[in-house]
């Protein structure tokens, strides 16, 4: 399997989906419902690139919902900041309107906000497969980061239906996700 070619094809397909906005709305709903009974108060996510699903509107609503509870919860959202030397990620507090700057890869990241440690981490999927395995961009940032985080956060892949890969062979360092959500619902665990 040529993973580089597979990545290119899946990204191209995702960028050209005529119904991407409708699928994104469906995945927003799936995500909001899935979050309802989660006990987490610190969630890590990502800034969407290359046609990825944008988790931030659902997470902002989750944050606001926490403030409306009988006993308000301070919920926090973190976005990744790349450590170029170790090729790992830390998560820094984000909220709509917070100052942002581009990282070494041109992706927006929170500027001068505190590092936070998520107990739940939403991870973008270029593709995903049975067993909770994900195809990312090939840099290994999430796998290296998850290998070092203790305790390891509950990890959830987010992707569109077309990213499903029936015959994907994970490599030895690939870590399975705990759950995967797409625009049809929960994909993993089944």
């Amino acid at each position: 399997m040529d993973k580089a070619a597979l990545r290119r094809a899946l990204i191209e397909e995702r960028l050209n989906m005529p119904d991407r906005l409708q699928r994104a709305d469906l995945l927003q709903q799936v995500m909001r419902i899935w979050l309802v009974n989660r006990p987490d108060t610190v969630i890590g996510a990502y800034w969407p690139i290359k046609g990825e699903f944008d988790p931030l509107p659902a997470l902002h609503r989750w944050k606001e919902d926490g403030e409306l509870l009988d006993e308000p919860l301070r919920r926090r959202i973190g976005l990744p900041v790349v450590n170029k030397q170790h090729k790992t990620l830390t998560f820094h507090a984000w909220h709509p309107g917070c100052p942002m700057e581009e990282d070494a890869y041109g992706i927006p990241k929170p500027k001068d906000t505190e590092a936070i440690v998520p107990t739940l981490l939403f991870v973008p999927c270029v593709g995903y497969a049975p067993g909770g395995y994900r195809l990312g961009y090939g840099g290994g940032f999430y796998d290296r980061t998850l290998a070092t985080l203790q305790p390891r956060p509950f990890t959830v892949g987010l992707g569109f239906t077309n990213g499903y890969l029936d015959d994907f062979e994970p490599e030895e360092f690939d870590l399975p996700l705990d759950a995967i959500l797409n625009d049809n619902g929960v994909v993993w665990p089944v």
Side-chain angles (χ1 to χ4, degrees):
M1 175 188 315
D2 180 356
K3 285 189 176 181
L6 182 57
R7 280 184 192 96
R8 284 191 302 275
L10 286 170
I11 292 168
E12 185 71 23
E13 184 179 350
R14 184 171 67 197
L15 287 168
N16 292 312
M17 284 190 311
D19 59 349
R20 186 165 43 127
L21 293 178
Q22 292 87 348
R23 288 176 182 257
D25 285 343
L26 291 171
L27 186 45
Q28 289 282 339
Q29 292 174 33
V30 168
M31 196 176 153
R32 285 197 312 264
I33 292 166
W34 188 87
L35 280 168
V36 166
N37 291 317
R38 289 292 306 179
D40 309 277
T41 57
V42 179
I43 295 179
Y46 57 90
W47 190 271
I49 60 170
K50 300 179 184 179
E52 289 173 338
F53 168 73
D54 184 354
L56 298 176
L59 288 176
H60 181 60
R61 184 154 178 197
W62 163 84
K63 182 181 181 306
E64 288 181 328
D65 288 347
E67 296 163 6
L68 299 174
L69 296 173
D70 289 337
E71 294 182 31
L73 290 175
R74 181 163 189 234
R75 293 178 172 175
R76 306 190 72 201
I77 303 164
L79 291 182
V81 173
V82 174
N83 178 321
K84 233 179 145 179
Q85 180 183 2
H86 296 107
K87 295 192 179 204
T88 57
L89 307 170
T90 56
F91 291 84
H92 289 251
W94 173 85
H95 57 84
C98 85
M100 302 286 282
E101 63 186 355
E102 287 189 355
D103 69 11
Y105 299 95
I107 301 170
K109 66 176 183 174
K111 181 180 180 181
D112 301 327
T113 63
E114 70 179 291
I116 59 177
V117 180
T119 58
L120 172 62
L121 181 58
F122 285 108
V123 181
C125 295
V126 174
Y128 53 89
Y133 289 98
R134 133 189 205 276
L135 176 68
Y137 292 103
F141 287 94
Y142 281 100
D143 289 321
R144 276 190 295 282
T145 300
L146 289 172
T148 63
L149 290 177
Q150 292 301 322
R152 181 180 177 211
F154 191 88
T155 55
V156 180
L158 297 173
F160 295 112
T161 307
N162 69 302
Y164 178 75
L165 304 168
D166 197 30
D167 62 349
F168 178 77
E169 289 294 323
E171 295 180 24
E172 65 182 73
F173 55 82
D174 288 337
L175 298 172
L177 301 168
D178 297 303
I180 299 175
L181 309 178
N182 74 15
D183 42 299
N184 284 333
V186 178
V187 178
W188 176 259
V190 186

